[in-house]
Amino acid sequence: MFGYTEPFRRFVQHETFSPQANEIPNQAASWLPGDDYYTNFHEGDPFIKIDEGYARLPGKGYEALHPELKDVNPEDYPDIHKMSILADVAPYSREYHTFRQKVGSQAQGNTELEIEYEKILTRVKKTRESVIKMNDQGSPSCPTQNPSRARQAKAHSMGSMIPPCDLSVCREDRLAWFLPPAQPKTLRARARLKLTPWAA
């Protein structure tokens, strides 16, 4: 066709069918949260599920920032480091509370460990307080979201993305938030609306 089909080719692109599959299990440390948390660190690439995951999750990046852990298997990290990582990426997880209790017991009588333990607790406390303060001001993405649900969404955002608003809870209110109330277009229609007894 000597180039006459070029415009058609540019506007009508060939649809490529790429293979789609579920995320496969990885070799992440067993003490990271799984499918019972907002972010499942045991499927797919865990380092891309949170911001700067290469430095915040156990591995070569984290070990570069903590030379004392060089060539140490993440399963063998000291409990204080496990607690610190979980406090950063999953502060509302069951695993974090488990290591918080474990390190709390180990810190008794150990001044250095107790100082690090208190630093982590203070960091988590400040994070939670800032989250509560933000959610008390309201969320434009979901105006009817209750504080506990909003805190859960924000907790998820510290590990990954904020999950979408639960449509089963606030579908109607979200529509009311974005759509203006319907008004009769003419004065006659407005007057008829006021005179109709069942309109209210």
Side-chain angles (χ1 to χ4, degrees):
M1 297 294 291
F2 301 101
Y4 287 105
T5 60
E6 182 64 17
F8 179 81
R9 186 188 68 80
R10 289 185 179 274
F11 286 103
V12 181
Q13 297 291 327
H14 177 68
E15 185 177 358
T16 58
F17 294 94
S18 59
Q20 298 180 358
N22 295 330
E23 293 183 332
I24 61 175
N26 56 39
Q27 298 180 348
S30 62
W31 44 269
L32 289 173
D35 57 2
D36 59 340
Y37 193 63
Y38 305 111
T39 304
N40 186 350
F41 293 100
H42 293 283
E43 290 184 353
D45 186 356
F47 298 101
I48 65 173
K49 294 187 175 184
I50 60 173
D51 295 335
E52 300 180 349
Y54 61 89
R56 298 168 63 190
L57 291 175
K60 296 298 183 181
Y62 186 83
E63 294 171 10
L65 299 174
H66 301 83
E68 67 274 15
L69 297 177
K70 184 178 181 180
D71 297 330
V72 177
N73 191 315
E75 296 291 344
D76 300 328
Y77 280 9
D79 290 340
I80 186 66
H81 281 279
K82 295 179 180 179
M83 176 185 170
S84 178
I85 293 174
L86 290 169
D88 180 30
V89 302
Y92 294 88
S93 65
R94 179 186 58 199
E95 290 79 3
Y96 165 72
H97 291 290
T98 298
F99 281 99
R100 179 176 60 84
Q101 295 175 355
K102 186 181 296 187
V103 175
S105 301
Q106 299 173 358
Q108 296 180 0
N110 187 333
T111 305
E112 183 178 357
L113 183 60
E114 185 174 359
I115 292 174
E116 293 299 322
Y117 175 72
E118 292 296 335
K119 286 182 180 179
I120 298 173
L121 293 182
T122 302
R123 188 177 72 210
V124 173
K125 182 179 179 181
K126 289 182 178 180
T127 301
R128 292 181 177 179
E129 288 177 352
S130 64
V131 169
I132 294 174
K133 185 180 297 184
M134 286 178 58
N135 290 318
D136 287 341
Q137 297 174 358
S139 172
S141 61
C142 183
T144 60
Q145 199 173 39
N146 58 44
S148 62
R149 189 178 298 277
R151 282 195 292 270
Q152 292 174 357
K154 185 61 180 178
H156 179 78
S157 70
M158 291 187 293
S160 181
M161 295 166 53
I162 297 178
C165 174
D166 188 356
L167 295 181
S168 64
V169 175
C170 59
R171 181 185 291 109
E172 296 179 358
D173 291 324
R174 287 184 70 184
L175 291 175
W177 178 264
F178 291 107
L179 296 178
Q183 296 290 339
K185 295 183 178 180
T186 65
L187 294 176
R188 181 177 298 176
R190 294 180 185 176
R192 186 165 57 248
L193 183 63
K194 290 181 180 179
L195 294 176
T196 305
W198 46 263

